[in-house]
Amino acid sequence: QVRLVESGGGLVQAGGSLRLACVRSGSNFAAEVMGWYRQAPGSQRELVATITFGGITNYADSVKGRFTIAGDVAKDTVYLQMNSLKPEDTAVYYCYSHRHYTYWGQGTQVTVSS
């Protein structure tokens, strides 16, 4: 069973930075894509950023220029560097991976104070 474990969330002031990490385990095969979604209270889960096995990245418009996804999908590890954080970035951030099936981590809380 694939397992995803996130780390690195916390409380930060607006304009600050945080780095999230996600480690995937439980499979002999690399994912096709890994990435991050987030869900704020009362809102739907939304895409933040993804990276493919080949290193192609994709970002939500709201985070372009501020967030960077990096890592090595082949080695089951991805990171999300979040700079210039805004209060509207406050959410639970979920790591996900996909290869035939989609798996989710337990989520890590990111809170940005104004």
Side-chain angles (χ1 to χ4, degrees):
Q1 180 74 7
V2 172
R3 185 177 180 220
L4 302 171
V5 178
E6 304 108 330
S7 61
L11 173 64
V12 65
Q13 288 188 331
S17 298
L18 282 174
R19 186 180 190 232
L20 306 182
C22 175
V23 178
R24 176 180 178 267
S25 63
S27 174
N28 291 327
F29 300 96
E32 295 170 346
V33 60
M34 294 181 68
W36 297 90
Y37 278 66
R38 67 186 181 187
Q39 187 167 18
S43 300
Q44 291 186 332
R45 192 172 295 189
E46 62 177 8
L47 170 74
V48 176
T50 61
I51 183 168
T52 69
F53 182 89
I56 298 172
T57 58
N58 181 51
Y59 295 92
D61 288 342
S62 59
V63 306
K64 283 180 180 177
R66 300 188 298 122
F67 291 11
T68 302
I69 189 169
D72 192 337
V73 175
K75 295 183 179 179
D76 293 329
T77 303
V78 292
Y79 305 94
L80 185 67
Q81 178 66 43
M82 304 184 293
N83 298 329
S84 302
L85 282 160
K86 305 175 181 180
E88 51 263 44
D89 294 317
T90 296
V92 177
Y93 284 69
Y94 296 92
C95 178
Y96 95 106
S97 73
H98 180 83
R99 181 188 173 92
H100 302 309
Y101 302 101
T102 296
Y103 296 92
W104 297 94
Q106 80 285 355
T108 185
Q109 177 70 45
V110 172
T111 303
V112 184
S113 62
S114 57

